[in-house]
Amino acid sequence: MSFLEIRGVGMRFGGLQALDDVSFRVERGSVVGLIGPNGSGKTTLMNVISGVYKPTAGSVTFADKTIANVPTHQVCRLGIARTFQIVKPFASLTVRENVAVGAMYGRDGAKRTTAQAFDHASELLEIVSLARVADRPASDLTIPDRKRLEVAKALALDPDVLLLDEVMAGLNASEVDEALALLRSLSERGVTLIVVEHLMKAIMAVSTTIVVLAEGKKIAEGAPLEVTQSRAVIEAYLGARYVKRQEAARAVADARAAEGAR
Ligand SMILES: Nc1ncnc2c1ncn2[C@@H]1O[C@H](COP(=O)(O)OP(=O)(O)O)[C@@H](O)[C@H]1O
Ligand SMILES: [Mg+2]
């Protein structure tokens, strides 16, 4: 039995099949990059894995337990935490208080006193580079800092698996580099990561395996380089017409080169 297994997952919203027979395994300690065009089902899959949605087909098993039948707060106690694409901190609480709340309710939360939860929150704010704004209200934060807070809040739940939904959106180049360094350090700490990100360069740099969704179906899975060379993936991103045009252009160029050589 693998660490985390997504098996034949389907998710239907009325007439829309948002996920269709999606299967893959996540090994402990890996970084899985989940990519695909807009609307391909990435966030929906994060919602299924974190127990927010009960899939209409298939199952997700983690540490020998079926997640579909477990309420969300218990999924988090099992060791899976997530960030949200739309960031919603408790605006009136300080940054540190926002994280401390997680540290009190996460897996190890019951073992922590309030003072310990605040200490743990301070440590996590160091890790995500937010110590400088720890005592400011969350509503004061810039977008990149809100994303960092989102990661700290999820880490406060002491997860084995962390699901990150577009935490790099809106970051500039140097902030993306910082975020990548953070993901690598989390991975080194033994946290298994499932990362949804639009920025190809970032996701290719950090992932050990890439899973590609298009229109709710898994169309490719493999090492980053392998996946970027897949015709199905290039088509999903650039369109079948683009791929055909490129192939035609290459055939013409090859024919000319062959003629020139003669
Ligand atoms: N709660 C919902 N109710 C109805 N349709 C939804 C819901 N959540 C997502 N969808 C639809 O499912 C499809 C996949 O959405 P989503 O998972 O958000 O894609 P992605 O994150 O890859 O951009 C979209 O067509 C979206 O409109
Ligand atoms: Mg999304």
Side-chain angles (χ1 to χ4, degrees):
M1 168 75 67
S2 40
F3 181 60
L4 174 62
E5 184 162 3
I6 289 89
R7 210 181 298 151
V9 162
M11 186 76 212
R12 175 172 271 285
F13 297 111
L16 179 86
Q17 191 76 43
L19 293 173
D20 187 6
D21 197 20
V22 175
S23 300
F24 60 94
R25 289 168 176 211
V26 178
E27 302 306 332
R28 183 192 284 276
S30 60
V31 180
V32 174
L34 183 58
I35 67 172
N38 253 330
S40 56
K42 304 179 296 294
T43 296
T44 302
L45 184 56
M46 297 293 229
N47 281 323
V48 169
I49 297 172
S50 59
V52 173
Y53 295 155
K54 188 175 158 46
T56 47
S59 64
V60 177
T61 52
F62 174 61
D64 288 348
K65 293 198 177 61
T66 300
I67 292 197
N69 304 318
V70 176
T72 312
H73 66 280
Q74 281 177 22
V75 171
C76 139
R77 298 234 162 189
L78 287 181
I80 299 183
R82 63 168 300 178
T83 65
F84 288 85
Q85 188 171 354
I86 315 273
V87 181
K88 298 172 277 191
F90 297 113
S92 62
L93 299 186
T94 67
V95 169
R96 196 194 322 272
E97 286 164 346
N98 263 279
V99 181
V101 169
M104 280 184 259
Y105 290 98
R107 254 191 326 164
D108 299 336
K111 289 182 233 147
R112 288 194 184 104
T113 63
T114 306
Q116 284 168 338
F118 273 83
D119 284 347
H120 189 51
S122 299
E123 281 167 32
L124 294 173
L125 290 174
E126 287 284 346
I127 294 172
V128 302
S129 314
L130 280 183
R132 67 204 145 77
V133 291
D135 296 311
R136 299 255 288 278
S139 54
D140 280 6
L141 295 187
T142 60
I143 297 287
D145 282 351
R146 278 176 195 229
K147 298 275 181 181
R148 291 191 178 96
L149 174 56
E150 206 36 37
V151 175
K153 279 168 62 188
L155 283 176
L157 303 170
D158 312 297
D160 290 327
V161 181
L162 181 58
L163 312 180
L164 298 160
D165 197 353
E166 299 206 19
V167 290
M168 296 183 214
L171 303 190
N172 66 32
S174 71
E175 289 162 348
V176 166
D177 286 341
E178 283 172 30
L180 287 176
L182 172 60
L183 297 196
R184 287 202 188 93
S185 80
L186 295 179
S187 179
E188 277 158 21
R189 283 159 179 266
V191 183
T192 303
L193 301 173
I194 304 181
V195 184
V196 169
E197 208 55 66
H198 268 298
L199 272 175
M200 266 317 162
K201 235 172 79 181
I203 201 128
M204 293 298 163
V206 80
S207 304
T208 51
T209 309
I210 304 270
V211 171
V212 190
L213 293 181
E215 297 175 351
K217 292 189 175 70
K218 184 181 90 172
I219 58 164
E221 176 179 4
L225 191 62
E226 196 184 311
V227 158
T228 50
Q229 290 167 351
S230 144
R231 185 190 162 117
V233 174
I234 299 168
E235 273 188 16
Y237 274 90
L238 301 171
R241 267 173 47 203
Y242 174 89
V243 175
K244 286 216 182 87
R245 224 182 301 142
Q246 289 289 305
E247 283 172 355
R250 209 173 302 131
V252 169
D254 287 350
R256 286 208 182 116
E259 217 155 86
R262 232 184 281 138

